[in-house]
Each structure stands twice: as structure tokens, then as C-alpha cells.
Amino acid sequence: MRSPWAWIPSLYLLQALPYVTVMTLSVVMYKNLGLGNTEIALYTSWLYLPWVIKPLWSPLVELLGTKRHWIVALQFAVGAALAGVALTLPLESFFQMSLAVLWLMAFASASHDIAADGFYLLALETHEQAAFVGVRSAFYRLANIAGQGGLVYLAGFLTERWGSARSAWQVVMALLAGLFVLVALYHLWALPKPAADRPAPRQQDFWRESLQVFAEFFKKPAILVIVAFLLLYRFPEAQLLKLATPFLLDPVAQGGLGLSTQQVGIAYGTVGLSALTLGGLLGGWVISRVGLKAALWPLILAMHVPNVVFLLMAWAQPQSLWWVSGALAVEQFGYGLGFTAYLMVMILVAEGPHKTAHYALCTGFMALGMMLPGMWSGWLQDQIGYMWFFAWVLLATLPSFAVTALIHVPPGFGKKA
């Protein structure tokens, strides 16, 4: 069997890029094309819906075909959808049309996530899952750097060169489409063929089995605490994330920092996300050494406390790119540490005979926890301004701490034997 290094980096780069497109690139793109914060936050948050409801069709991936075949086919589908976004941007009704195609891309990507996460759980032993969760998170974040850093910078550069943000974003989306096709071809060769990657045995009719898979998830001990944890762990980030880029781009007179698109690509998309990647690697290593139970509280504190840098930036409005990049690096490094703990809790919850479907349910709740707060965040910021909005984000960490106090982690889980 091939080394995990041959496929985990590329698999999680491609898992991340559609999510980055929905989460960040679409926000910057629509901001560059003249839409307002309320409109951007509301409509791009709706694009999370496929990740929320993907558990509804996760049994299809569990019961039909292999995860390997699903992965490759869906990577081609995402590439086609991204090409479709590029084609809609010159149209008069580009906003509605591009949102519709992004919606289709999100469905394909959410289905790909089910297969990819299930494949990860099937192809690796538990201690390997813990050891590689940092690597997986790191390359997921490298995709963020490529997207929020390189592609945002490229869009800004091409906009200045050509004088057309629309044409610049067409090129960006076309490049993404080509990348997906090329890596899908690579995965035809690189993905291993573990013996466990086969359709789950079917003993009853299909739909009854599907309902049974869901029912078994909701019979897990302390399921209400688990669901609350999945929904609220990222509650502050869900709001911060939608407004971080508009805050950096908006002029100083409107409470922002007045950075150019290229500067945002450097500060947030490259420096900040490089720090986040390092945090993810360190978080995975810490969990594999001491176990999730011992690491959970230090990691959640590392994730949420550094959010204070956004409040400080909104108050001081620094004009130095060095200061802004340094502040973002601190916040993103802490987030990288904390997110590894969240991933390991989801792996813990998914343990059992239906890992793929149950992990998909976990990520569905995670997406819902990102979608709902994100929808109102733009409206809230428009009402109270950036400084008070970031103060609210700090207050919003309290529910995250409360649910973490209730979650039960077995001693030694995630620790390398």
C-alpha cells in the first residue's frame, strides 16, 4: 500500500479548495464586484447548506461503490462547476448565475468530503489518524494559503493590470477548474486500494438501512452534548470569518484597515494561513503525544483567546502591513492549534461500524454551526460597526467553553501507542 504522504496532501488540498472558494474567494470576489457586507454574508452563507445536509445522502456513499471511485468522479465534477463559474461572470445576471453554479459545486464538494473523510478513516489505523490529523489539517490550510493568498493576490494583480475585476476572477476560477482535473487524474493512480474500502454489507432494503445508520448516530451516549459541541465550538469563528476579509478591505473611514486586494492576499492569505498551518501541525503532534483529553483545554484556549487581535486592530486601525500580518499570524496560529482538537473529537464520535456516514453527520453539524451565525454576521456588523462586532465575537466564545466542559473524551484517545 502506498505511503499516506502520497495521497493525504493532495486529497485534502482538493477537499479544501471548494470550501475556500465558498468561504473566502466568493466573499472577496463579490466585494471586488461591488456588493455590500450584508448581501455578501447572507448569500454566501447559504452556500454552506450542502455541507449541512450532506448526511442525508451520506448512506449512498456508504452503501454504493467504493470511496475511491466517489473521490475521483466528484473531483472531475467540481472542476466542471468551477469552469461554469468562470463562464457566468461576464453575464448581466452574474450574481444569481454564479451563485447557482457555486451551489452545484458545493453539492459536489460536500459529497466529495463524505468519501474523502471515510477513505481517511478506512485507509489508516487509529494512531496513524491521530498522527496525520495535523498533516491533513496542514494541507487543508495550505489550500487556504493558495486560495486566500495566491489566488486573491493574483486577482488583485490582474485587476490592476487589466482594469477589470470581472476578467481577473474569470481567470482565477478557470485555473482552479484546471487544477481539479489534473489532480483527479493523479488520484486515479495515487489513491491506495484498502481492503476495507468496499460497499457496506446490505442486509435489509436500502432506505431502511439508511435510516438505521442515522438512528445509530443519535443513539450514541450523551448525543445532545455532542451535537451542542459540534454546533458551538466554532460559534465565534463562524461570525468572525465572514467579516475578516471585508474588515481588511474596507476603507479606514468605514472602520476597516483599507488594504488592497493584493495586501489581503499577503497578510491574511499567506502570512496568517502559514501560521495557521504550523499551528495545525503542532496541534496534531501534541494530541498524538499526550492524547486528546489532556490537550483539549489548552487547544481550545489557544483557538479563541487570540481573537482579541481583531478587536485591537479595529480600535488602533494600524496602517503597517507588518503589524497587520503579525496580528493575523498570532490569531491564525492559535486557530490552527484549536481546530485539530475539533477534528479529533469528530473522529472519536464517528467511531463504530458506520464511520463514513457518522463522520459526515458530524461535519454536517459543523457546517450548520458555521452557516447560521455567518448569515446574520454581516447585518450585525453593519448595525454596530467593526469594533463592537469584534467585541461581540469575544463574548461569543463563552458557549464554546461551556460545551467543551461537558464533552467526554476517553483517557489516551488519539495518543500514539
Side-chain angles (χ1 to χ4, degrees):
M1 185 175 290
R2 292 187 181 91
S3 166
W5 286 101
W7 56 273
I8 287 179
S10 55
L11 181 64
Y12 281 92
L13 281 170
L14 259 62
Q15 188 184 89
L17 282 172
Y19 194 71
V20 173
T21 301
V22 165
M23 179 178 63
T24 302
L25 294 187
S26 65
V27 173
V28 181
M29 180 176 72
Y30 291 135
K31 188 75 176 176
N32 288 167
L33 296 177
L35 280 79
N37 287 356
T38 299
E39 198 172 15
I40 291 171
L42 176 61
Y43 288 107
T44 60
S45 291
W46 273 110
L47 293 173
Y48 288 131
L49 185 60
W51 283 280
V52 175
I53 63 175
K54 69 181 181 182
L56 296 178
W57 64 87
S58 61
L60 290 173
V61 181
E62 187 86 51
L63 299 170
L64 300 178
T66 68
K67 314 297 183 296
R68 190 179 189 277
H69 290 154
W70 279 98
I71 287 168
V72 173
L74 289 165
Q75 286 171 358
F76 281 117
V78 171
L82 287 165
V85 174
L87 294 173
T88 63
L89 291 181
L91 303 177
E92 185 176 348
S93 56
F94 77 92
F95 183 52
Q96 295 87 344
M97 295 293 291
S98 61
L99 277 174
V101 181
L102 283 171
W103 181 274
L104 295 175
M105 183 209 70
F107 271 102
S109 176
S111 304
H112 175 269
D113 289 359
I114 297 169
D117 291 334
F119 190 82
Y120 178 87
L121 297 175
L122 292 173
L124 301 177
E125 299 293 334
T126 302
H127 74 274
E128 290 179 307
Q129 293 170 21
F132 275 91
V133 73
V135 176
R136 160 185 164 174
S137 180
F139 280 92
Y140 191 96
R141 296 305 163 186
L142 282 173
N144 281 260
I145 295 172
Q148 293 179 225
L151 294 179
V152 169
Y153 185 91
L154 177 63
F157 172 78
L158 293 177
T159 299
E160 287 188 3
R161 187 177 182 88
W162 296 342
S164 171
R166 204 176 301 268
S167 297
W169 281 104
Q170 273 191 282
V171 170
V172 167
M173 293 298 169
L175 286 173
L176 275 174
L179 175 66
F180 262 82
V181 171
L182 289 175
V183 181
L185 291 170
Y186 167 73
H187 281 159
L188 281 172
W189 169 82
L191 290 178
K193 299 178 181 179
D197 184 19
R198 58 184 185 273
R202 297 170 59 181
Q203 299 173 350
Q204 308 171 39
D205 69 88
F206 177 80
W207 294 111
R208 184 177 297 177
E209 284 189 58
S210 300
L211 291 174
Q212 185 175 339
V213 169
F214 288 119
E216 288 176 6
F217 179 84
F218 290 102
K219 291 177 181 177
K220 290 179 181 287
I223 187 61
L224 293 179
V225 171
I226 290 170
V227 170
F229 178 88
L230 296 173
L231 290 173
L232 295 174
Y233 187 88
R234 301 175 74 188
F235 183 61
E237 180 215 352
Q239 300 169 78
L240 177 66
L241 198 59
K242 281 297 175 187
L243 275 300
T245 302
F247 167 65
L248 299 174
L249 288 170
D250 271 338
V252 173
Q254 295 179 19
L257 298 187
L259 302 184
S260 69
T261 302
Q262 290 160 287
Q263 288 176 316
V264 171
I266 294 170
Y268 193 43
T270 303
V271 176
L273 285 171
S274 296
L276 187 148
T277 301
L278 292 174
L281 287 169
L282 180 60
W285 179 82
V286 168
I287 293 171
S288 71
R289 301 296 292 182
V290 304
L292 179 61
K293 187 177 181 68
L296 184 57
W297 272 104
L299 293 181
I300 188 177
L301 287 168
M303 179 174 182
H304 290 320
V305 172
N307 287 342
V308 72
V309 302
F310 276 95
L311 178 60
L312 294 175
M313 286 194 292
W315 172 70
Q317 292 185 297
Q319 298 305 295
S320 167
L321 185 61
W322 288 100
W323 279 105
V324 174
S325 298
L328 291 172
V330 170
E331 186 270 334
Q332 292 286 282
F333 181 76
Y335 174 68
L337 284 166
F339 191 64
T340 56
Y342 189 63
L343 288 175
M344 284 306 297
V345 171
M346 291 199 296
I347 289 173
L348 171 63
V349 172
E351 284 290 304
H354 298 290
K355 290 182 179 181
T356 300
H358 287 181
Y359 193 88
L361 278 163
C362 290
T363 58
F365 282 115
M366 176 181 71
L368 183 61
M370 293 295 290
M371 174 183 163
L372 295 178
M375 291 174 70
W376 74 61
S377 60
W379 173 85
L380 180 61
Q381 183 278 321
D382 278 340
Q383 302 304 307
I384 62 177
Y386 280 115
M387 190 163 71
W388 286 107
F389 174 76
F390 293 130
W392 157 251
V393 167
L394 288 176
L395 186 63
T397 61
L398 296 178
S400 304
F401 293 135
V403 294
T404 300
L406 297 174
I407 203 75
H408 172 70
V409 179
F413 179 80
K415 185 177 181 180
K416 186 175 180 180

